[in-house]
Amino acid sequence: MDDTYHIGEVADRVGLSLRTLRHWEEMGLVTPTGRSDGGFRLYGEDDVQRVLLARALKPADFSLDELQEILRLRDHLATDLDPAERSRSEHALTAFLDRAELRCKLLRERLVGAELAMNALRQSLTPAPGAEDPQPTSVGPAASL
């Protein structure tokens, strides 16, 4: 197979552990394209992109089961469907998209709150405007003038 990657290469590329990739395989989130003669998992570029999408969706707080359903719907929509089936799948995927957008909005609000708190802490570390800087204490002949 050309353009395939071993699990370690995929793990490095996508920033996940081998254990996570194996678990995701057990859950059906990603399936290696094949196996090498020695039995090692081989992933194609489509597999890598699938893993990247699943990883990108994790911060939206989807469970592994929900991620599996999202990826299943996405795969399903890439096939030739009758109009009614396409509509059902699009509706289901749109519901997940709406939830992801809401979760992203909430995460942005939390981030803004955290940034405001950090700015308040930073201001605690800098002298207040107009506060006098302490004058250096002179030592030596000029001190007696």
Side-chain angles (χ1 to χ4, degrees):
M1 287 182 144
D2 293 334
D3 296 332
T4 57
Y5 311 93
H6 287 194
I7 191 170
E9 295 170 309
V10 175
D12 288 343
R13 184 166 166 196
V14 301
L16 293 172
S17 68
L18 297 174
R19 183 177 182 188
T20 297
L21 285 175
R22 288 184 190 113
H23 181 65
W24 283 14
E25 180 184 347
E26 290 171 12
M27 294 291 300
L29 285 175
V30 65
T31 304
T33 298
R35 297 266 179 173
S36 70
D37 291 338
F40 295 102
R41 293 167 178 86
L42 296 174
Y43 296 87
E45 187 59 34
D46 288 344
D47 303 323
V48 173
Q49 293 306 312
R50 185 180 181 89
V51 172
L52 286 169
L53 177 59
R55 192 196 71 190
L57 288 168
K58 281 300 288 172
D61 206 26
F62 288 114
S63 69
L64 290 180
D65 289 338
E66 289 171 320
L67 289 175
Q68 186 176 25
E69 179 63 8
I70 290 167
L71 294 173
R72 187 194 69 73
L73 288 165
R74 183 175 168 259
D75 293 346
H76 194 61
L77 286 168
T79 64
D80 189 25
L81 301 172
D82 66 71
E85 184 63 25
R86 176 166 294 285
S87 178
R88 282 191 295 273
S89 293
E90 286 176 347
H91 179 74
L93 192 57
T94 299
F96 279 116
L97 179 60
D98 291 346
R99 288 175 51 202
E101 288 174 342
L102 176 61
R103 289 174 180 173
C104 286
K105 179 183 178 228
L106 296 173
L107 285 170
R108 277 191 290 278
E109 289 171 358
R110 289 180 63 192
L111 181 59
V112 167
E115 287 172 342
L116 289 172
M118 287 187 313
N119 287 336
L121 290 174
R122 267 190 210 98
Q123 288 177 355
S124 300
L125 295 173
T126 58
E132 291 186 30
D133 290 331
Q135 296 297 320
T137 307
S138 298
V139 180
S144 60
L145 294 176

